[in-house]
Amino acid sequence: MIATYNKNVGDVLMLIVANNEGADVNYERKADVARVFREDTGQTVAWNIFNVKEEWPDLAQGQNALTKAQVAELNLRLSKAGFEEQLVYDGQPKFVVAEILTMEDHADSDHLHVCQVDVGLEEPVQIVCGAPNAFVGMKTVAALPGAMMPSGSLIWPGALRGVPSFGMLCSARELDLPNAPQVRGIIDLQTDVTAGAAFDPETMWQA
């Protein structure tokens, strides 16, 4: 679940729970809750929660990490508004230290690589990457499904030229880090960090 607060469109907390995959969407609103759903399948893809800033004054513009208690409060709002669906708490960090375990050339590309990456989960995840500086053993930063990039784009499971990819290996420029090199290439973390740890730019990033 991606929680994003946008004060520019009013006091609205948007909770994105699924990829609409380009399908047309519609919405139904009850009290201060609106359910956004796909017109073709009826699947819920997002919730808009109105008038939240007074209760949660610490909400920041952009993506917010919600606590388990906050998700429980939001579920009460949904229930009181008359919706039966419930939100699922996800405490997994979305920007994490990643270690490239294996890397093979993409069969249908002259620059893409298919990487098996340790992101701290039980099993490695597969991420397709086109960075020219990637190498086996490299520790970098992965944006996992459910991440919102500084540009506003969302990370979902997908495929690049037919090969499944479950995240994105990031450059400093893509993460809008200070003094980011304006060249192609993912972040090469030169510090002793553990795969799966939440990425902290203040302690882990150095231009």
Side-chain angles (χ1 to χ4, degrees):
M1 177 176 65
I2 300 171
T4 178
Y5 183 75
N6 190 344
K7 63 183 179 181
N8 296 325
V9 296
D11 186 3
V12 183
L13 177 66
M14 175 176 279
L15 309 169
I16 305 168
V17 296
N19 185 0
N20 72 329
E21 299 176 324
D24 291 334
V25 297
N26 208 330
Y27 74 95
E28 58 174 328
R29 179 169 176 173
K30 300 177 183 179
D32 281 342
V33 178
R35 182 178 80 97
V36 183
F37 59 91
R38 289 177 56 150
E39 288 190 338
D40 56 350
T41 65
Q43 177 192 17
T44 301
V45 296
W47 297 90
N48 287 340
I49 314 295
F50 299 89
N51 302 318
V52 293
K53 190 67 171 177
E54 182 175 349
E55 185 175 350
W56 294 349
D58 293 334
L59 284 175
Q61 178 79 3
Q63 187 170 13
N64 286 257
L66 300 181
T67 66
K68 192 172 185 178
Q70 286 175 319
V71 173
E73 289 181 39
L74 290 170
N75 279 329
L76 285 176
R77 282 197 180 215
L78 267 60
S79 297
K80 288 179 180 179
F83 292 102
E84 295 183 359
E85 291 185 54
Q86 293 283 276
L87 303 166
V88 177
Y89 171 70
D90 178 10
Q92 168 69 41
K94 300 308 176 188
F95 294 93
V96 300
V97 175
E99 181 177 358
I100 300 175
L101 303 177
T102 67
M103 188 170 70
E104 299 178 355
D105 291 339
H106 192 299
D108 189 32
S109 171
D110 61 359
H111 72 283
L112 293 176
H113 308 290
V114 182
C115 303
Q116 300 300 320
V117 183
D118 181 2
V119 293
L121 303 178
E122 290 185 3
E123 300 291 337
V125 299
Q126 180 168 284
I127 298 179
V128 179
C129 171
N133 66 327
F135 61 89
V136 172
M138 181 182 194
K139 287 186 177 177
T140 183
V141 180
L144 301 180
M148 174 180 283
M149 302 297 290
S151 65
S153 62
L154 307 179
I155 303 298
W156 300 108
L160 287 176
R161 297 200 179 182
V163 175
S165 184
F166 299 93
M168 173 182 175
L169 300 183
C170 303
S171 70
R173 181 170 51 181
E174 288 165 331
L175 295 182
D176 197 24
L177 297 178
N179 301 314
Q182 299 301 302
V183 295
R184 293 184 62 215
I186 55 178
I187 295 171
D188 186 358
L189 295 175
Q190 298 292 327
T191 57
D192 184 16
V193 288
T194 303
F199 174 61
D200 180 358
E202 292 189 3
T203 60
M204 297 180 184
W205 162 247
Q206 185 174 6

